[in-house]
Each structure stands twice: as structure tokens, then as C-alpha cells.
Amino acid sequence: MGRREGGGRSGRGAQRQAAGPQQLTWRQVRNPYRPVAVLSDDQVEAIHRAALRILEELGIEVMSDQALDRLAAGGAEVERASGLVRFDRGLVEQALASAPDRFTMTPRNPARALELGGDAAIFGLVNGPPFVTDLDRGRRDGNFADYQDLLRLGQSLNIVQYVTHQSVAPMDLPAETRYLDCYQAILTLTDKAFYAAATGRERVEDALEMVALASGTDREALRDRPSIFSVINVNSPRRLDGPLSEGLIALAEHGQPAVVTPFCLMGAMTPVTLAAALAQQHAEALAGVVLTQLVRPGAPVVYGGFTSNVDLRSGAPAFGTPEYAKASMAAGQLARLVGLPYRSSNANASTSVDAQAAYESMMSLWGSLMGGAHMLHHGAGWLEGGLVASFEKLVLDAELLQNMAEFLTPIAVDDDSLAFEAMAEVGPGGHFFGTAHTLARYETAFYQPLISDWRNFESWQEAGAKTATERANALWKRLLADYQPPPLDEGRREALAAYVARRKEQAGRLAA
Amino acid sequence: MGRREGGGRSGRGAQRQAAGPQQLTWRQVRNPYRPVAVLSDDQVEAIHRAALRILEELGIEVMSDQALDRLAAGGAEVERASGLVRFDRGLVEQALASAPDRFTMTPRNPARALELGGDAAIFGLVNGPPFVTDLDRGRRDGNFADYQDLLRLGQSLNIVQYVTHQSVAPMDLPAETRYLDCYQAILTLTDKAFYAAATGRERVEDALEMVALASGTDREALRDRPSIFSVINVNSPRRLDGPLSEGLIALAEHGQPAVVTPFCLMGAMTPVTLAAALAQQHAEALAGVVLTQLVRPGAPVVYGGFTSNVDLRSGAPAFGTPEYAKASMAAGQLARLVGLPYRSSNANASTSVDAQAAYESMMSLWGSLMGGAHMLHHGAGWLEGGLVASFEKLVLDAELLQNMAEFLTPIAVDDDSLAFEAMAEVGPGGHFFGTAHTLARYETAFYQPLISDWRNFESWQEAGAKTATERANALWKRLLADYQPPPLDEGRREALAAYVARRKEQAGRLAA
């Protein structure tokens, strides 16, 4: 009958809410579990072989002479007229032999350094939306004030482990130089790992210069010490554009990680079948990996998976679907086959921060993390297929990420945790609230959520009958009110400001 | 920069919504993936040994003379005064040797038969809540009209594969005989597998009599052909109550599955540590398994896991937590160690059908299904820690279950799905919308959701800016409007009515 399963809940939860949630402490997330295999070993091999055939027979278009030069010099077959590059499998194998399977990201505050690869994973802030939204102010164009607030939240939430140069696009700043303002904001408002722009060489080099200034060192000292990273999207099918090719080259030259991520919407940018999408993604990612290793053997590079589907009846992209979860796990298998760290994302296509946003994000998170992802991009704040950065979604995602981080904490099994004596102490039908074993573990036994409300219906109603999204709204406001910038030497702060001013002036002269 | 990842979505989604969602077809869900191991093999063994020690040294209180007689006759050490029963490991091993690892549930419509065990899983309707809620009418006492509507939804949704005798408690009917009205409703409004009451022998026997009448057969013909099943909750710690002991005996005698499920809220009914909770759950479940096998060796029995935590600061129960997900996976490992089918649940503690309800349910579903669950109880409709059956949550859960069923559909990898020719046809930067490969798979390539809305913001706003929960509200109303009862021979329908009338009359005479 299950009659005890719905059993009584007390109304004693009220004081916890008033005291406010406590966050998980800053931590290196480690994934102790064997990833889920959605493909057999034979299937993984078949997809890898199909990708090698795509690289050998169909090739990848590369829209940069610099990149074509490097590829031709490295032994790829380059058609100059079309920009088409074909890669034989020996070239791919050579690249895979030199690319590392893990590295450490070291931001300006070395206490925030994090490993990426092996069992170590890292979670990031949303990047790229042109719009921003919250419950109070609604959906609006991205702007620098909101951008800075998103950074402040990213700094405040321990589970958000890296911040992004464009958590929302600050449309109110001049397009050509806004990245400099964003870099300056990152390096003054946060001290976490820094996800930079890579559309062209100078955005990469400016990021490195500025990290060096904020760290009191120089750019040369950062070589081969990953301090920034960026996604290099392949414009699927089979096209790597000019600015991103050159950004990739700049990252690799400096030993900074390029996260090569084909953008594979099945039915639009790839065939509708998952096997084909994975083969195409794999080929496109490997092409980028080869280029990094020709530029600098041993340069860190991440295998990016971003395969989802469109609604074939409308053309609308979909995220956090069953296909997305399977693709995320399969991509992890392919990344492990070639020995590279693996990037996936916390994606959803909901237009509001509702149950759909939550379940699609959960499909993404389980697919990604049980797929063995080492880098979870767009980890917090992504809404509406990436068109919108949402303040409430950012806090909701922090809750989901904390849930996953706790899920990834292994179970202890020893005499102490098996607690035979405590069980002997409590008779049949008794309870364990007051036992010494419980009291000793009272504060830390279980995960304490950020926004989940476990109070009974009456207490919840008395407190205003707020949804999880409304509770998230209250929490981001409190986090912003409580925000404290991380320490930064005044001289370094001034050096950053001077650098940005000088670079803007140069840009102005070039434009004139 | 990830600039294409938020890429444009078209506004062409409107017509799909008007046409209405299509459901997944009726199917046997099979789980092709290796379950996630959150415990090492050594840890599983250590917990199993700890459970055997609990059974040998501490024992289980059994509050039924009939059950104590069976246990004593079978070789357990029975203390008559306290009702405490101690089980040596030989007795446990003997029971595990005779209990089957899988079976088939055959309801009155044999086309609805489903396997349970091995790679085969089955999803059920919520059971047990005293309250019911929906967006229009709010939270109210359970009643027979809502009960019947919940059954109609359970019948209409293909992904809900079994229905329950108390999807909500019909508080407006006399307590002693309402189960008869519920059984009659199940057997007339649905033709799916039937989850019966097991608080005492007569509720089990009435269920079997009524299934026999609805099937045009007799009770003897149903022996060893599982047609009904029920949960036998252990009142943790270490107590099996009288009515459920006798219900278990009746189920086992007739070869109907008992789902032995300790109710383990860590910190209240078990020690706060997961290892201890699992050891206690395992001991309690094994005690019930032994009793089934002493009654009838070979009787089907399911290992039930229901371990979650309380909020130690308030005493409120929590579900769909990281601890719950880990416990669900660990319980699957323990069930596989002892070779029994495994039951878990789709639980959450939210007071409204919001993002929390969705993410806690997703934690439960991923924990359960990637834990290898064969029976997902409370699969659709459970809200507020099981106190409330929700119409909108039922539809939301159907969406989540369909997502999981599609996730569990393996990826095809062959020449056709690898689609090399289609890729050769589309040049770099092109698109696959119009290729023959896409057009041939247009209708069936991807999962079509029930309530997910993938339209762009403007179309969504024009359509009323509805949340997923509001869309679920519209869908259950349409499903109820479209509901068709399954065929039932008029003579059998009359026989059921006559049986219920007679049994109520008998109950009235007894009460008088």
C-alpha cells in the first residue's frame, strides 16, 4: 500500500530558510564513477573510422591562409582554391600522440587553480547570449551593468568555477572593444579561471597580457601555464572560419587550451542520425586538434561535443533532449578513445525558468557528467537555447550543479558509517534523531540545498507560496547585496585600466 | 566564443502545438546500458555482510502470529514474546536460491503484459496520497471522482504502464470498503497491470477474484501468473506490521509479486550514514524475501529500495536529493548481488509543480533507471513527498518518463545511419534539411515531446507565455476529454459489480 511513504513531515523548517542557505565550499569536483557507455566498443570504433574517412575523403574547409600554411607544412593535403583540407590518419594519430589528456587551469588567484581531465571536472558560467532576463525586469538586450552582475554572481557561487568573457553580450559598449571592458571586469570582479574570446589573435593575446598584469607577471611566464581558454566552434558542416582559426593558432602558440567544439544540430548541420552526427562531430573536432598540435606539439586541447537535434517540423533547435543526453555520453566515449579531455554543456531550450528549463538541464547534466565530461560549459545561466542569460536560471543551475557535485561524492563504507552500534541502540519501530551517531553528524550529514523548499504545504503557503524560480530570484538579489570583490593589488588594478585605455585608443586610431 | 551555440531559431513551431503532441507508442521499456556503480564490489559485499549481521544478531520484529509460525517452521529463531525474529545466513541464501530474478505481469488484457527483471522495466502511477491537486481547483482531499480521473489519465498515457489502487485515497468513500470501489474502477476504466492493496489477506484475495472475473477465468488459473502486485513496506527500523505480513503471505501463496520495500529516511528511521541505511534496508528487504520463499518457494518477489534523507534541521523528509540518487544506484547494486528484480521510485518533495519538482524527479529518475530499476513506482503524479497526487505533475512525469524511455533506446550505428553519402552531398557550411537522407526520416528521427515548448520567445509570448506546468494543465484536460474506456465484456462488467455489492454487504454485516 505504500502508506508510510508519503509519511508525515513536520513544520519545523521555517528557521532554516530565515538563516539562509549555505553553499558548498570551493572544491575540485572529481567524478569517481565509471561513465555510462551508450555505445559498444565496436560502435565507438566504427564512428572513429567513419570520422577518419570524412577527414581523408571529404575534408574540412579552413578559411584562413595562416592556418592553411600550417596545415600544408604539417603534411595535410590542402586545396588552396577551395580551402579544403584533407587529413590522412597518420596526421591524426601523430596529433593525438602529442596532445595531453589533462592540464590545470591557473587563474590570477592560484588558490582557484583547477584540474581538467582524468577524474577532474570544472563548471563554468553561461557564455554568449545577446539577451538577459530576470523576473523583475524582464527580457532585455545584453548590457554591461548586467554583465558585471552576472560576473559577481559567478564569483559568489562556489560551484561556478570559471567565468566567461561574455556571460551576456554588453550591447551598450562599442562592439570592437567591448571584450577589453569584459576582460577588465573579469580580472577585477572575480579571481576565477578566465574564459576569453578567440575570434582572432589579438583577443587571445590581450587576455594573456591582462592576466599577466593582474598576476604581476608577464605573458612569457604564462606560456604553457593554462590561464585562459576558449571554445573554437567549427561551423558545421566541415567549416572552420578565419577568425577562429587564428584564435586557435594563438591559443596553441601560447600553450593555452583551445576547446574545439563542432556545432552539430542534427537535421540541420549534420544528417538526422546520431551515428552520422557523432562521426561528423568527431571528424571536425579532430581537424581542430591536428591544427593545435601542428602549431605547438603538446598544446592543451579539449574535445568539445555539442550535438543536439532540431524540431524537424519547425526548424527550432532543441536541447536537453534524449538525443542530447545520448550524444553527450557517446561523445565522452569518443573523447576517451582519442585520449583528450572532454567538454559538454548544460543546455536547455525553455523560454522561461520553469519545469522544462529544469528537466532539460537535468538531461544535459546527467548526460554530460555521466558521459565523463571534464569541462561543463554554459554550466549556470543559459536559457532559451542560449539566446538569453537568466539571473534566476543561474541560481537554479547552481543548485543543480551542487546536487551533481554531491552526487559525485563517493559513499563511505566502513565500521563507523555502517553504524551497527547505533542500530543495536534503537529498537524496532524506534527513531534515530537523538542517537549519539546522528548528533555527531547533525550539521554535515546531508546536502543542504540553495533553493529547494522541503517545508510542509502550510508553512510554504504562509511564506508566500513561492516557486523555486521565485526563491532563486530572492537568492541572486541577496548574493549581489552580499558580494565582495576579491583582493587585487591597487597597482595591478591601475595597470589593467591603463592597458585597456591604451588598447582602446589604438583601436580608435585604426578605425579612424 | 561559442557565438553559434545560441544560434537562431525560427518561428515555425506554431503549427506543431496546434496539432497536439503525439505520445510514444505502448512499449516494453528495456534498459540496454550497464548500471552506474556508486559502490565498489568490496563495498557492496561489506554492506551485504552488515545486513546479514543485522538479521542474525538484531533481528526483525514481525507483528503477526501467522508470519511468526511460518518463520519458526522455516528455521528462523523466533522470540514469541517480543515478536523478534533472527535469520541465519543459510536461511537467507536458501530464499535467494528459490526467488526468481524476473517475471511477467499479465493484466486482464494480455496485450498489456510486461516483463519485469533482466533488462525489462515497468513504470507506474502514483499511489497513496491523501490529497489531490490541480491548477484550477487547488489542493483538496482525495475523492473518488478525482481517483477515477487519475486512472483515466493512467490508461490514456502509454508510458504509464501500471495503475494503482490508490492513485489518490478516495476519502469520500467508506474506509473499509473503498478498495473494492477502486478495484472495480481499475478493472473497468483501465486494462493495465494492477497494483493492489496488501493490508491483510482479503484485499489481496479480492483483487485476484476481481481480476479473474474481469478476465473471464477463476482465481486458481491466476496462480503463478502474476496479475496483481503490491508493496509490502517495512516500518523501519526493523518492524513488519501485522496486516502487511499477512498481505505478503497471501501474495506469495498465490504466486503474486510482493515488492518488499523498507521505508528508510536516513536520520529518522535509519542512522544518518548512507552505508548504514543501505545495510538496514538490505536486511529488512531480505527478511521479507525469506518470508515469501518460506510461504511458497519460487514466489516472485521484488527488492524495494526507498532510502532518502530528512532535513536534520527541521525533520522534513527530502526526496530526489543527491543522497537519494546515490541510494537508488547502490540499492540496484545490492539487488543485483542477491539476484532479485529491483523497485525504485520517482520521488520529489516540492509543494508545487515547479522547477524543484522537475529537478528532484529527474534526480530520482536518473538514480533509479541508471541504478538498474525494473519497477519504477510512483512514476507519474507524485508531489509534495507523496502527500499529494497532482494532475499537472502526472503529465509532467509522463514527459520525463518518455524522455527516459527514449534515452534508453540504443543508438544505431551502421552504414545507413553513418550516412557518409549524405555528408558527401552537402558541402562545407551547407545544411541537411532537404537531403534525401533527412526527408526519409523526417517524421520519426527525433523524440517529440508532450509539453516541452521549443518555439522562439515571440511565438511563445503570443501563445500566452505559458509555463510547462500550464501546458501540462491543458494536456490533462484534453486527455480526459478524449478518454475512451478499454473494451470489457458486459457480462464481466456485471459480474464485477455484483461481486463488489456482495462483498460490501458482507462487510456491512460484519461491522453491524
Side-chain angles (χ1 to χ4, degrees), chain A residues 274-313:
Chain A
L274 200 40
L278 291 165
Q280 186 184 313
Q281 171 190 287
H282 195 57
E284 292 170 347
L286 291 178
V289 170
V290 168
L291 183 52
T292 63
Q293 300 306 300
L294 291 178
V295 171
R296 187 178 179 88
V301 58
V302 177
Y303 182 107
F306 200 87
T307 288
S308 194
N309 53 297
V310 295
D311 180 344
L312 284 173
R313 289 184 281 192

Side-chain angles (χ1 to χ4, degrees), chain B residues 119-203:
Chain B
D119 67 355
I122 173 170
F123 302 158
L125 196 63
V126 58
N127 193 64
F131 301 103
V132 62
T133 195
D134 66 68
L135 286 186
D136 303 302
R137 294 169 289 183
R139 192 178 189 264
R140 55 199 182 271
D141 283 346
N143 60 81
F144 194 56
D146 283 323
Y147 171 74
Q148 292 174 90
D149 277 344
L150 293 168
L151 282 186
R152 290 183 182 103
L153 292 173
Q155 173 69 11
S156 298
L157 288 159
N158 290 328
I159 200 68
V160 177
Q161 299 171 319
Y162 69 88
V163 293
T164 52
H165 77 93
Q166 205 165 86
S167 57
V168 70
M171 315 282 268
D172 51 344
L173 297 183
E176 279 310 299
T177 57
R178 67 171 71 129
Y179 75 94
L180 293 164
D181 300 292
C182 293
Y183 290 180
Q184 186 179 6
I186 286 179
L187 291 165
T188 51
L189 297 175
T190 88
D191 63 355
K192 296 185 176 178
F194 174 176
Y195 177 91
T199 39
R201 168 177 294 276
E202 71 179 351
R203 293 174 190 209

Side-chain angles (χ1 to χ4, degrees), chain B residues 41 44-45 48-49 96 282 332-340:
Chain B
D41 291 348
V44 174
E45 285 290 345
H48 181 64
R49 281 195 308 274
L96 292 174
H282 196 57
Q333 292 183 266
L334 291 163
R336 288 189 293 283
L337 180 76
V338 296
L340 293 173

Side-chain angles (χ1 to χ4, degrees), chain A residues 3 5 10 237-238 241 268 273 313-314 323 326 354 356 359 378 409 417 426 429 432 447-448 452 468 471, chain B residues 3 5 10 237-238 241 268 273 313-314 323 326 354 356 359 378 409 417 429 432 447-448 452 468 471:
Chain A
R3 70 200 158 75
E5 287 176 8
S10 94
R238 298 190 288 119
D241 78 17
T273 40
R313 289 184 281 192
S314 71
E323 292 82 6
K326 284 192 273 193
D354 64 352
Q356 180 184 338
Y359 67 72
H378 307 304
T409 305
S417 58
V426 174
F432 290 80
Y447 170 63
Q448 295 293 338
S452 297
R471 297 192 295 272
Chain B
R3 69 200 156 74
E5 288 176 8
S10 92
R238 299 191 284 118
D241 78 18
T273 39
R313 288 183 281 192
S314 70
E323 292 82 5
K326 283 192 273 193
D354 63 352
Q356 181 184 337
Y359 67 71
H378 307 305
T409 305
S417 60
F432 290 81
Y447 170 62
Q448 295 293 338
S452 297
R471 296 191 296 272

Side-chain angles (χ1 to χ4, degrees), chain B residues 339-382:
Chain B
L340 293 173
Y342 166 47
R343 166 254 158 131
S344 189
S345 306
N346 177 10
N348 73 95
S350 185
T351 31
S352 64
V353 185
D354 63 352
Q356 181 184 337
Y359 67 71
E360 289 183 339
S361 279
M362 270 305 206
M363 290 295 283
S364 298
L365 287 173
W366 279 92
S368 296
L369 296 176
M370 288 316 300
H374 302 106
M375 171 183 172
L376 189 82
H377 202 44
H378 307 305
W382 214 68

